């Protein structure tokens, strides 16, 4: 009897949906990751197993590696929040990477050129605020185009990423290049007064606390304030927002700028907490990874830090792959992609049931 | 009942269908031992109010639902349908109100999708020609008018060999000029030996096309196969038919309009919609406290856009809408209008939010930075009690409510605003019989203390609730009819169909209070 696959909508309870979604994401990432390891030269099943063990070891094997996960989790939380906030309004901010870069550039500008004129106590807050403002400014143009003219924000935010990165390269190859840097591209090291404080002798910096606090604040904003209510209504049903008389265009612009500010803050934190100078490698995909974080967290703002920790562990573990098994570190990008696909597929499977049906059973003609 | 020599092509005996558990709360007996005979060569109109069970009956005939009891016979042989595909194989095809066409594909490609072959423009053209349907097979569906899309749907059914063709509310999407073409097509298909069924709640429609009429009311067949009487101008005694349909005589004494009216609440002046050409223009009228004013029109004549503008959702191109002297717009005067829009599930409520949150949608104004969920829950509980909404509580999601319960919740929310104007748009579309009567009762109660503006596509609803009925045709008020006039129904129907210039705007706008500016029983 021939079989066919049928898709049926299902009404699963929320926890079950989360389980299906996450299970699919992890399952797909595991399967795809194994395939990538095999293609990249891992020998046989044991080789693949060794690669996974190396990753696990690399991520959780030492106190240092665990602290490195926290270092990565700070910007990932912020970019994840940036993407998730927009998605809750049915907006796609694919520009967290560019906003991250602009945030870093803005705080670098404060640190390099305004530091002498500012009281030291104000320096760090001003630099962070400049980072947030830089990210928001980079999101403002796509937001305005979207709200006023209906320009697709996916394309505008995505394309502005490349503009931001090229602009950053122009600055550290050109006008901002360290005069005492022996010709290496990159700015001078920022004054220590503007560095984010670190803890326990590790690279874990204040940005992590900031990110966690902002996750809570953002949740509160959406769940408890009138603006958040309006934003949620707009995301769920633009027609209902029009019916209720909400200023939809203004809410859209505000949300996208807020999203840009979060990504910009991530960039500022990475610059002031870890890199301490603008140079090659500052834009390392943490903005794009925010998309994966947001969907792993299923757009739940309080789950974003957890998803960021998970992805942080993946990134740290992947470094170990490179050193130990001489697998290319970029394999982790394939894993990220598999996680995103898995999360999206999982959402679909959580909302629909796949069922095998015998062909012909549902159809019957005349009975007599 | 029609004595007939020829046996029916399709006959139904004792069909029943219940939704929900038997005797359970909210259970509805949609069809209660229904008999129906369809004959080849005749156009059969199935008449009934919204929620009378027409769609349920036709869904059973076309295989979408299976009856709880009763039997169907096709040319005398027992017929059991387990799927729409089986119904099509048996020669029963249904054209739904919402077309199932792929807009990006051409006419020929859509036909091929339905019949399973390869797209063939020449064969499609020949097929269309053989049935007398004018359609260019190469054109993309997105470019077609609603009438042309309907023709394509009919052609799809014919290509699949339909001998019984069922059309659900076929004129509701058509421009008046397209309606005659549809009637001509249906006549030709019937003459070729098919049985055609028109599902409708519009009496003018059957006058134009039908050979015989059956009437469903509250799930029961109250009249069966009444043939056209050539002696009558419309073919049937329309007043008797509408009496059968609604189960009561239409308010002949005009009780609704006799009430003392208060001050003028809503004043609409020279209103013209956005767009080129505008969806509506030259709209002038006034509604007083204690009065119910209805605007009716066939879908597509501008009343959707007009209602959105009157409710303050969109700005007009010119003209003004004022309630008690204050302008209504996207940013102003929202608290003066209790507005129940047509779209219950996407505009009036957000399906994924709770009732408490949905209550805050239109009632909070713009005070304060925080919204009080507790106040929302309290008000939602009050709204649930006020109109007897069946819901688990304020924390129930809007999507969990049935259409009737959701509509009652929305109505209760809007009424609680205490606004001087109640604007209701298509308030009972798609509701079951019980919910329809409850919603109507709530609107009547509201009309005792506020001005009520009813925008609807259903002339019976308008005449049942309103004192005056304005008919919108091609974006203009074609005439205003006093509901108490003896021939009110007939005149509203003719105006809706674009027939008979009753009272146009030529004599002046329909303003000046309920008594003046209205034509009762004839031209001025």
């Amino acid at each position: 009897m021939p079989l066919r696959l049928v898709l049926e909508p299902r009404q699963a309870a929320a926890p079950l949906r989360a389980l299906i979604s996450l299970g699919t994401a992890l399952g797909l990432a595991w399967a795809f990751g194994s395939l990538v390891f095999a293609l990249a030269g891992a020998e046989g099943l044991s080789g693949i197993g060794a690669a996974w063990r190396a990753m696990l070891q690399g991520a959780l094997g030492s106190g240092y590696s665990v602290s490195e996960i926290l270092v990565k989790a700070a910007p990932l939380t912020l970019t994840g929040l940036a993407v998730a906030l927009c998605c809750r309004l049915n907006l796609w901010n694919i520009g967290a990477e560019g906003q991250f870069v602009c945030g870093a550039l803005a705080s670098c500008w404060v640190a390099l050129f305004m530091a002498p004129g500012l009281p030291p106590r104000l320096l760090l807050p001003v630099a962070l605020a400049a980072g947030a403002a830089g990210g928001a400014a980079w999101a403002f143009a796509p937001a305005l185009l979207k709200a006023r003219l209906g320009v697709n924000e996916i394309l505008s935010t995505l394309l502005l990423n490349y503009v931001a990165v090229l602009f950053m390269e122009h600055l550290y190859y050109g006008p901002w290049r360290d005069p005492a840097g022996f010709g290496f591209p990159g700015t001078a090291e920022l004054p220590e007064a503007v560095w984010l404080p670190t803890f326990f002798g590790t690279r874990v910096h204040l940005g992590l606390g900031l990110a966690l606090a902002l996750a809570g604040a953002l949740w509160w904003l959406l769940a408890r304030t009138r603006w958040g209510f309006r934003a949620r209504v707009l995301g769920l049903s633009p027609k209902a927002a029009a019916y209720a008389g909400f200023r939809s265009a203004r809410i859209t612009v505000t949300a996208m700028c807020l999203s840009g500010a979060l990504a910009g803050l991530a960039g500022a934190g990475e610059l002031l907490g870890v890199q301490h100078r603008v140079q090659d490698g500052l834009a390392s995909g943490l903005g794009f990874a925010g998309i994966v974080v947001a969907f792993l967290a299923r757009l739940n703002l309080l789950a974003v830090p957890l998803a960021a920790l998970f992805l942080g562990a993946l990134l740290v573990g992947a470094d170990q792959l490179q050193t130990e098994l001489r697998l290319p570190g970029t394999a982790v990008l394939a894993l990220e992609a598999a996680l995103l696909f898995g999360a999206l597929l999982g959402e679909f499977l959580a909302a629909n049931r796949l069922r095998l049906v015998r062909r012909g059973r549902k159809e019957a003609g005349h009975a007599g | 009942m029609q004595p007939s020599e020829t046996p029916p092509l399709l006959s139904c005996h004792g069909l029943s269908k219940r939704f929900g558990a038997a005797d359970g709360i909210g259970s509805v007996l949609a069809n209660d031992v229904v008999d129906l005979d369809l004959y080849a060569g005749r156009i059969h109109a199935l008449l009934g109010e919204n929620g009378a069970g027409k769609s349920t009956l036709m869904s059973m005939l076309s295989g979408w639902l299976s009856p709880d009891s009763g039997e169907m016979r096709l040319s005398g042989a027992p017929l059991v349908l387990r799927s729409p595909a089986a119904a099509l194989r048996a020669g029963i095809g249904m054209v739904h109100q919402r077309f199932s066409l792929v807009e990006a594909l051409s006419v020929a490609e859509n036909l091929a999708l339905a019949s399973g072959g390869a797209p063939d423009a020449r064969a499609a053209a020949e097929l269309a020609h053989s049935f007398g349907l004018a359609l260019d097979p190469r054109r993309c569906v997105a470019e077609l008018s609603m009438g042309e899309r309907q023709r394509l749907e009919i052609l799809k059914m014919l290509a699949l060999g339909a001998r019984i063709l069922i059309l659900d509310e076929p004129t509701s999407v058509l421009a008046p000029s397209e309606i005659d073409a549809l009637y001509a097509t249906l006549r030709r298909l019937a003459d070729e030996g098919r049985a055609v069924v028109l599902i409708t709640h519009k009496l003018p429609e059957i006058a134009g096309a039908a050979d015989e009429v059956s009437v469903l009311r509250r799930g029961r067949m109250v009249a069966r196969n009444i043939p056209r009487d050539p002696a009558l101008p419309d073919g049937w005694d329309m007043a008797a038919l509408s009496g059968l349909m609604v189960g009561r005589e239409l308010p002949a004494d005009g009780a609704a309009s006799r009430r003392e009216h208060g001050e003028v609440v809503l004043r609409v002046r020279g209103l013209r919609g956005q767009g080129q050409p505008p969806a509506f223009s030259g709209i002038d009228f006034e509604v007083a406290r204690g009065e119910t004013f209805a605007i009716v029109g066939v879908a597509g004549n501008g009343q959707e856009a007009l209602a959105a503008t009157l409710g303050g959702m969109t700005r007009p191109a010119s003209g003004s809408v004022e309630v008690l002297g204050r302008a209504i717009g996207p940013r102003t005067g929202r608290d003066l209008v209790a507005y129940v829009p047509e779209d219950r599930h996407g505009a009036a409520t957000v399906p994924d939010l709770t009732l408490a949150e949905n209550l805050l949608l239109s009632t909070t104004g713009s005070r304060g930075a925080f919204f009080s969920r507790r106040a929302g829950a309290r008000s939602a509980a009050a709204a649930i009690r006020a109109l007897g909404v069946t819901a688990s509580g304020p924390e129930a999601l809007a999507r969990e409510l049935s259409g009737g319960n959701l509509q009652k919740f929305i109505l209760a929310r809007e009424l609680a605003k205490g606004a001087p104007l109640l604007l209701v748009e298509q308030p009972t579309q798609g509701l079951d019989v019980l919910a329809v009567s409850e919603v109507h009762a709530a609107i009547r109660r509201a009309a005792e203390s506020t001005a009520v503006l009813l925008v609807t596509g259903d002339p019976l609803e308008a005449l049942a609730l309103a004192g005056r009925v304005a008919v919108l045709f091609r974006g203009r008020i074609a005439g205003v009819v006093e509901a108490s006039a003896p021939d009110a129904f007939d005149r509203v129907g003719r105006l809706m169909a674009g027939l008979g210039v009753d009272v146009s705007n030529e004599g002046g706008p329909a303003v000046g209070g309920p008594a003046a500016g209205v034509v009762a029983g004839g031209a001025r």
Side-chain angles (χ1 to χ4, degrees), chain A residues 37 40-42 47-55 319-328:
Chain A
F37 294 158
I48 291 170
W52 283 116
R53 270 196 302 282
M55 265 190 88
D319 288 343
Q320 193 72 9
L321 276 184
Q322 207 165 358
T323 51
E324 210 156 279
L325 298 175
R326 274 168 291 161
L327 285 174

PDB file of all heavy atoms in Angstrom, chain A residues 37 40-42 47-55 319-328:
ATOM      1  N   PHE A  37      32.593  17.386   9.938  1.00  0.00           N
ATOM      2  CA  PHE A  37      33.841  16.829  10.470  1.00  0.00           C
ATOM      3  C   PHE A  37      34.371  15.745   9.542  1.00  0.00           C
ATOM      4  O   PHE A  37      35.564  15.660   9.264  1.00  0.00           O
ATOM      5  CB  PHE A  37      33.623  16.242  11.875  1.00  0.00           C
ATOM      6  CG  PHE A  37      33.282  17.273  12.906  1.00  0.00           C
ATOM      7  CD1 PHE A  37      32.633  16.914  14.076  1.00  0.00           C
ATOM      8  CD2 PHE A  37      33.611  18.603  12.717  1.00  0.00           C
ATOM      9  CE1 PHE A  37      32.317  17.858  15.029  1.00  0.00           C
ATOM     10  CE2 PHE A  37      33.296  19.564  13.664  1.00  0.00           C
ATOM     11  CZ  PHE A  37      32.641  19.189  14.825  1.00  0.00           C
ATOM     12  N   ALA A  40      35.790  17.239   6.551  1.00  0.00           N
ATOM     13  CA  ALA A  40      37.005  17.994   6.833  1.00  0.00           C
ATOM     14  C   ALA A  40      38.155  17.064   7.233  1.00  0.00           C
ATOM     15  O   ALA A  40      39.224  17.536   7.584  1.00  0.00           O
ATOM     16  CB  ALA A  40      36.740  19.020   7.923  1.00  0.00           C
ATOM     17  N   GLY A  41      37.934  15.766   7.222  1.00  0.00           N
ATOM     18  CA  GLY A  41      39.051  14.864   7.410  1.00  0.00           C
ATOM     19  C   GLY A  41      39.019  13.994   8.649  1.00  0.00           C
ATOM     20  O   GLY A  41      39.938  13.231   8.889  1.00  0.00           O
ATOM     21  N   ALA A  42      37.991  14.087   9.476  1.00  0.00           N
ATOM     22  CA  ALA A  42      37.893  13.183  10.621  1.00  0.00           C
ATOM     23  C   ALA A  42      37.692  11.772  10.087  1.00  0.00           C
ATOM     24  O   ALA A  42      36.918  11.563   9.154  1.00  0.00           O
ATOM     25  CB  ALA A  42      36.730  13.583  11.513  1.00  0.00           C
ATOM     26  N   GLY A  47      36.666   9.020  14.615  1.00  0.00           N
ATOM     27  CA  GLY A  47      37.211  10.345  14.351  1.00  0.00           C
ATOM     28  C   GLY A  47      36.188  11.430  14.622  1.00  0.00           C
ATOM     29  O   GLY A  47      36.498  12.461  15.231  1.00  0.00           O
ATOM     30  N   ILE A  48      34.959  11.161  14.191  1.00  0.00           N
ATOM     31  CA  ILE A  48      33.895  12.147  14.419  1.00  0.00           C
ATOM     32  C   ILE A  48      33.630  12.299  15.910  1.00  0.00           C
ATOM     33  O   ILE A  48      33.519  13.400  16.443  1.00  0.00           O
ATOM     34  CB  ILE A  48      32.619  11.725  13.668  1.00  0.00           C
ATOM     35  CG1 ILE A  48      32.851  11.846  12.165  1.00  0.00           C
ATOM     36  CG2 ILE A  48      31.437  12.583  14.090  1.00  0.00           C
ATOM     37  CD1 ILE A  48      31.757  11.233  11.322  1.00  0.00           C
ATOM     38  N   GLY A  49      33.579  11.146  16.587  1.00  0.00           N
ATOM     39  CA  GLY A  49      33.383  11.188  18.036  1.00  0.00           C
ATOM     40  C   GLY A  49      34.486  11.968  18.721  1.00  0.00           C
ATOM     41  O   GLY A  49      34.241  12.768  19.624  1.00  0.00           O
ATOM     42  N   ALA A  50      35.716  11.772  18.247  1.00  0.00           N
ATOM     43  CA  ALA A  50      36.849  12.477  18.845  1.00  0.00           C
ATOM     44  C   ALA A  50      36.712  13.975  18.650  1.00  0.00           C
ATOM     45  O   ALA A  50      37.033  14.776  19.532  1.00  0.00           O
ATOM     46  CB  ALA A  50      38.156  11.980  18.224  1.00  0.00           C
ATOM     47  N   ALA A  51      36.214  14.351  17.475  1.00  0.00           N
ATOM     48  CA  ALA A  51      36.052  15.785  17.210  1.00  0.00           C
ATOM     49  C   ALA A  51      35.056  16.398  18.189  1.00  0.00           C
ATOM     50  O   ALA A  51      35.294  17.468  18.755  1.00  0.00           O
ATOM     51  CB  ALA A  51      35.572  15.978  15.771  1.00  0.00           C
ATOM     52  N   TRP A  52      33.921  15.699  18.384  1.00  0.00           N
ATOM     53  CA  TRP A  52      32.922  16.241  19.327  1.00  0.00           C
ATOM     54  C   TRP A  52      33.508  16.308  20.730  1.00  0.00           C
ATOM     55  O   TRP A  52      33.294  17.273  21.467  1.00  0.00           O
ATOM     56  CB  TRP A  52      31.661  15.363  19.333  1.00  0.00           C
ATOM     57  CG  TRP A  52      30.777  15.576  18.144  1.00  0.00           C
ATOM     58  CD1 TRP A  52      30.486  14.664  17.175  1.00  0.00           C
ATOM     59  CD2 TRP A  52      30.082  16.768  17.793  1.00  0.00           C
ATOM     60  NE1 TRP A  52      29.654  15.207  16.235  1.00  0.00           N
ATOM     61  CE2 TRP A  52      29.384  16.500  16.592  1.00  0.00           C
ATOM     62  CE3 TRP A  52      29.987  18.036  18.352  1.00  0.00           C
ATOM     63  CZ2 TRP A  52      28.593  17.448  15.957  1.00  0.00           C
ATOM     64  CZ3 TRP A  52      29.197  18.980  17.722  1.00  0.00           C
ATOM     65  CH2 TRP A  52      28.510  18.684  16.533  1.00  0.00           C
ATOM     66  N   ARG A  53      34.261  15.243  21.111  1.00  0.00           N
ATOM     67  CA  ARG A  53      34.842  15.247  22.459  1.00  0.00           C
ATOM     68  C   ARG A  53      35.831  16.399  22.614  1.00  0.00           C
ATOM     69  O   ARG A  53      35.878  17.069  23.630  1.00  0.00           O
ATOM     70  CB  ARG A  53      35.529  13.910  22.739  1.00  0.00           C
ATOM     71  CG  ARG A  53      34.605  12.881  23.370  1.00  0.00           C
ATOM     72  CD  ARG A  53      35.391  11.726  23.986  1.00  0.00           C
ATOM     73  NE  ARG A  53      36.243  11.044  23.017  1.00  0.00           N
ATOM     74  CZ  ARG A  53      35.787  10.163  22.117  1.00  0.00           C
ATOM     75  NH1 ARG A  53      34.506   9.859  22.075  1.00  0.00           N
ATOM     76  NH2 ARG A  53      36.601   9.582  21.279  1.00  0.00           N
ATOM     77  N   ALA A  54      36.589  16.647  21.531  1.00  0.00           N
ATOM     78  CA  ALA A  54      37.552  17.752  21.591  1.00  0.00           C
ATOM     79  C   ALA A  54      36.831  19.073  21.778  1.00  0.00           C
ATOM     80  O   ALA A  54      37.274  19.949  22.526  1.00  0.00           O
ATOM     81  CB  ALA A  54      38.381  17.774  20.312  1.00  0.00           C
ATOM     82  N   MET A  55      35.700  19.207  21.101  1.00  0.00           N
ATOM     83  CA  MET A  55      34.941  20.448  21.254  1.00  0.00           C
ATOM     84  C   MET A  55      34.454  20.615  22.677  1.00  0.00           C
ATOM     85  O   MET A  55      34.534  21.690  23.273  1.00  0.00           O
ATOM     86  CB  MET A  55      33.731  20.442  20.307  1.00  0.00           C
ATOM     87  CG  MET A  55      34.002  21.143  18.999  1.00  0.00           C
ATOM     88  SD  MET A  55      32.485  21.360  18.059  1.00  0.00           S
ATOM     89  CE  MET A  55      31.920  22.914  18.701  1.00  0.00           C
ATOM     90  N   ASP A 319      37.445  26.497  18.707  1.00  0.00           N
ATOM     91  CA  ASP A 319      38.868  26.862  18.685  1.00  0.00           C
ATOM     92  C   ASP A 319      39.736  25.636  18.946  1.00  0.00           C
ATOM     93  O   ASP A 319      40.811  25.475  18.362  1.00  0.00           O
ATOM     94  CB  ASP A 319      39.146  27.922  19.761  1.00  0.00           C
ATOM     95  CG  ASP A 319      38.557  29.265  19.379  1.00  0.00           C
ATOM     96  OD1 ASP A 319      38.239  29.440  18.187  1.00  0.00           O
ATOM     97  OD2 ASP A 319      38.399  30.122  20.275  1.00  0.00           O
ATOM     98  N   GLN A 320      39.248  24.786  19.831  1.00  0.00           N
ATOM     99  CA  GLN A 320      39.984  23.573  20.184  1.00  0.00           C
ATOM    100  C   GLN A 320      40.102  22.640  18.982  1.00  0.00           C
ATOM    101  O   GLN A 320      41.128  22.003  18.767  1.00  0.00           O
ATOM    102  CB  GLN A 320      39.250  22.864  21.321  1.00  0.00           C
ATOM    103  CG  GLN A 320      40.054  21.771  21.978  1.00  0.00           C
ATOM    104  CD  GLN A 320      41.181  22.359  22.831  1.00  0.00           C
ATOM    105  OE1 GLN A 320      41.242  23.561  23.049  1.00  0.00           O
ATOM    106  NE2 GLN A 320      42.081  21.491  23.286  1.00  0.00           N
ATOM    107  N   LEU A 321      39.013  22.576  18.198  1.00  0.00           N
ATOM    108  CA  LEU A 321      39.024  21.757  16.984  1.00  0.00           C
ATOM    109  C   LEU A 321      40.221  22.121  16.123  1.00  0.00           C
ATOM    110  O   LEU A 321      40.929  21.270  15.602  1.00  0.00           O
ATOM    111  CB  LEU A 321      37.761  22.024  16.163  1.00  0.00           C
ATOM    112  CG  LEU A 321      36.487  21.293  16.505  1.00  0.00           C
ATOM    113  CD1 LEU A 321      35.430  21.676  15.490  1.00  0.00           C
ATOM    114  CD2 LEU A 321      36.735  19.796  16.473  1.00  0.00           C
ATOM    115  N   GLN A 322      40.399  23.424  16.007  1.00  0.00           N
ATOM    116  CA  GLN A 322      41.427  23.942  15.128  1.00  0.00           C
ATOM    117  C   GLN A 322      42.809  23.530  15.610  1.00  0.00           C
ATOM    118  O   GLN A 322      43.612  23.006  14.847  1.00  0.00           O
ATOM    119  CB  GLN A 322      41.318  25.469  15.142  1.00  0.00           C
ATOM    120  CG  GLN A 322      41.800  26.135  13.898  1.00  0.00           C
ATOM    121  CD  GLN A 322      41.308  27.569  13.875  1.00  0.00           C
ATOM    122  OE1 GLN A 322      40.597  28.020  14.762  1.00  0.00           O
ATOM    123  NE2 GLN A 322      41.693  28.302  12.859  1.00  0.00           N
ATOM    124  N   THR A 323      43.045  23.727  16.905  1.00  0.00           N
ATOM    125  CA  THR A 323      44.384  23.452  17.414  1.00  0.00           C
ATOM    126  C   THR A 323      44.645  21.967  17.519  1.00  0.00           C
ATOM    127  O   THR A 323      45.738  21.506  17.213  1.00  0.00           O
ATOM    128  CB  THR A 323      44.574  24.103  18.796  1.00  0.00           C
ATOM    129  OG1 THR A 323      43.475  23.722  19.617  1.00  0.00           O
ATOM    130  CG2 THR A 323      44.620  25.597  18.683  1.00  0.00           C
ATOM    131  N   GLU A 324      43.631  21.200  17.925  1.00  0.00           N
ATOM    132  CA  GLU A 324      43.897  19.801  18.235  1.00  0.00           C
ATOM    133  C   GLU A 324      43.765  18.883  17.025  1.00  0.00           C
ATOM    134  O   GLU A 324      44.580  18.009  16.804  1.00  0.00           O
ATOM    135  CB  GLU A 324      42.950  19.326  19.335  1.00  0.00           C
ATOM    136  CG  GLU A 324      43.577  18.234  20.192  1.00  0.00           C
ATOM    137  CD  GLU A 324      42.915  18.204  21.559  1.00  0.00           C
ATOM    138  OE1 GLU A 324      43.286  19.042  22.409  1.00  0.00           O
ATOM    139  OE2 GLU A 324      42.027  17.367  21.728  1.00  0.00           O
ATOM    140  N   LEU A 325      42.709  19.051  16.267  1.00  0.00           N
ATOM    141  CA  LEU A 325      42.463  18.131  15.154  1.00  0.00           C
ATOM    142  C   LEU A 325      42.818  18.741  13.816  1.00  0.00           C
ATOM    143  O   LEU A 325      42.623  18.147  12.769  1.00  0.00           O
ATOM    144  CB  LEU A 325      40.986  17.700  15.150  1.00  0.00           C
ATOM    145  CG  LEU A 325      40.525  16.938  16.389  1.00  0.00           C
ATOM    146  CD1 LEU A 325      39.038  16.670  16.312  1.00  0.00           C
ATOM    147  CD2 LEU A 325      41.291  15.636  16.511  1.00  0.00           C
ATOM    148  N   ARG A 326      43.296  19.953  13.853  1.00  0.00           N
ATOM    149  CA  ARG A 326      43.648  20.688  12.641  1.00  0.00           C
ATOM    150  C   ARG A 326      42.482  20.744  11.656  1.00  0.00           C
ATOM    151  O   ARG A 326      42.640  20.710  10.455  1.00  0.00           O
ATOM    152  CB  ARG A 326      44.895  20.089  11.973  1.00  0.00           C
ATOM    153  CG  ARG A 326      46.166  20.675  12.560  1.00  0.00           C
ATOM    154  CD  ARG A 326      47.366  19.890  12.123  1.00  0.00           C
ATOM    155  NE  ARG A 326      47.374  18.559  12.726  1.00  0.00           N
ATOM    156  CZ  ARG A 326      48.076  17.538  12.282  1.00  0.00           C
ATOM    157  NH1 ARG A 326      48.807  17.650  11.213  1.00  0.00           N
ATOM    158  NH2 ARG A 326      48.048  16.387  12.919  1.00  0.00           N
ATOM    159  N   LEU A 327      41.289  20.743  12.228  1.00  0.00           N
ATOM    160  CA  LEU A 327      40.114  21.000  11.405  1.00  0.00           C
ATOM    161  C   LEU A 327      39.983  22.511  11.277  1.00  0.00           C
ATOM    162  O   LEU A 327      40.325  23.237  12.203  1.00  0.00           O
ATOM    163  CB  LEU A 327      38.843  20.447  12.066  1.00  0.00           C
ATOM    164  CG  LEU A 327      38.678  18.944  11.990  1.00  0.00           C
ATOM    165  CD1 LEU A 327      37.478  18.512  12.793  1.00  0.00           C
ATOM    166  CD2 LEU A 327      38.529  18.503  10.547  1.00  0.00           C
ATOM    167  N   PRO A 328      39.497  22.980  10.155  1.00  0.00           N
ATOM    168  CA  PRO A 328      39.360  24.435  10.020  1.00  0.00           C
ATOM    169  C   PRO A 328      38.383  24.996  11.048  1.00  0.00           C
ATOM    170  O   PRO A 328      37.322  24.417  11.302  1.00  0.00           O
ATOM    171  CB  PRO A 328      38.834  24.622   8.599  1.00  0.00           C
ATOM    172  CG  PRO A 328      38.287  23.294   8.196  1.00  0.00           C
ATOM    173  CD  PRO A 328      39.050  22.260   8.966  1.00  0.00           C
TER     174      PRO A 328
END
